[in-house]
Amino acid sequence: MEFEIFRNRIPKLKKMALPGEDAHRKLAPLIRINELNNLDMSKLTPSQAGVMAIFYPGEDKQTRLVLILRKTYKGVHSNQVGFPGGRIEVEDKDLEETALRETEEEVGIHRNDIEVLKKLTKLYIPPSNFWVQPYLGILHKTPKMIPQETEVEAILEVKLSEFLNDQSMITENLSTYYANNIEVPAYKLNGHVVWGATGMMLSEIRELLLKI
């Protein structure tokens, strides 16, 4: 989709109700659904994080979305695809500021250049014990992105047309540090399998975009 067409549909997007957890569950692995169903949130003290889903015009004038491939490290989300974002810091006034700050640090898009369009449905991630608040944003010019050397292995510029294509939705057998050979619903974007919490958040975004 050309970016000008996408941008002209933003007012409608801002007014739409969120699909919420119903959309999340469409991309949730069965093991995650079972975890969430059995959780007693009153007994947990999760950390807070903010992430940003940013749409922008590519050099070809087509609408694109920023994702990142994280570095390999000893942790839950090692070498996984996600949104720019991270843990809230004491200097952040709220999670929106967290998402903007982390986006600037991880991919080099200045926080003042991002128009935040909408707060999406927050999501709890059991393996890392995080509440994650996603935001939908738009950048009105083609960015020159620079991956953060210590955090980001690669920046993925995903065409909106690829993301909305039904063929991007797949089922994959994966092994993680907490489960072996599990079948998961996922997206195949830029050659990468995108699943778990990121896939669940993308599911809500996809439902919103298909309606406009």
Side-chain angles (χ1 to χ4, degrees):
M1 180 187 292
E2 289 188 4
F3 184 73
E4 283 304 313
I5 296 174
F6 177 80
R7 181 158 56 185
N8 289 337
R9 297 179 183 180
I10 292 304
K12 183 178 180 181
L13 178 66
K14 288 180 177 180
K15 297 176 183 178
M16 291 174 60
L18 294 175
E21 292 181 0
D22 288 342
H24 287 171
R25 287 175 178 264
K26 291 178 182 179
L27 261 289
L30 181 60
I31 189 172
R32 179 64 51 81
I33 292 175
N34 291 335
E35 282 179 311
L36 294 173
N37 287 340
N38 294 321
L39 280 177
D40 182 356
M41 291 302 299
S42 66
K43 296 181 180 179
L44 301 175
T45 54
S47 300
Q48 303 282 329
V51 301
M52 186 67 66
I54 306 170
F55 292 89
Y56 64 95
E59 296 286 356
D60 57 0
K61 309 301 182 184
Q62 296 297 308
T63 307
R64 294 177 183 268
L65 167 68
V66 181
L67 294 173
I68 60 173
L69 176 64
R70 298 204 173 275
K71 292 276 190 180
T72 299
Y73 65 98
K74 292 183 179 180
V76 174
H77 304 298
S78 170
N79 200 230
Q80 290 185 3
V81 175
F83 294 107
R87 182 193 302 264
I88 193 169
E89 301 291 349
V90 292
E91 67 267 24
D92 299 333
K93 66 179 182 181
D94 54 28
L95 287 169
E96 180 177 315
E97 188 169 295
T98 300
L100 290 169
R101 174 184 54 76
E102 286 279 348
T103 296
E104 184 173 345
E105 292 174 2
E106 292 187 337
V107 299
I109 299 175
H110 196 282
R111 66 194 78 182
N112 293 338
D113 292 336
I114 301 169
E115 178 189 351
V116 180
L117 303 174
K118 204 174 189 70
K119 178 191 285 190
L120 301 173
T121 304
K122 69 178 182 178
L123 177 67
Y124 178 69
I125 306 178
S128 55
N129 191 31
F130 264 92
W131 269 118
V132 176
Q133 177 61 66
Y135 295 87
L136 192 62
I138 188 170
L139 187 66
H140 297 280
K141 60 183 180 181
T142 304
K144 293 182 179 179
M145 291 183 281
I146 302 171
Q148 185 179 25
E149 187 174 341
T150 57
E151 299 278 346
V152 179
E153 183 67 30
I155 295 172
L156 310 180
E157 300 186 58
V158 179
K159 283 187 176 181
L160 178 59
S161 57
E162 178 186 354
F163 172 47
L164 296 182
N165 191 323
D166 288 344
Q167 293 185 355
S168 71
M169 303 181 71
I170 63 171
T171 300
E172 190 86 353
N173 285 317
L174 299 173
S175 293
T176 71
Y177 88 103
Y178 61 89
N180 290 319
N181 196 32
I182 57 172
E183 186 177 89
V184 301
Y187 294 99
K188 191 70 171 288
L189 301 172
N190 286 35
H192 294 271
V193 177
V194 186
W195 64 289
T198 303
M200 293 165 72
M201 289 183 275
L202 281 171
S203 180
E204 180 173 54
I205 294 169
R206 190 174 190 273
E207 288 200 14
L208 285 170
L209 296 182
L210 287 174
K211 290 178 181 177
I212 65 167

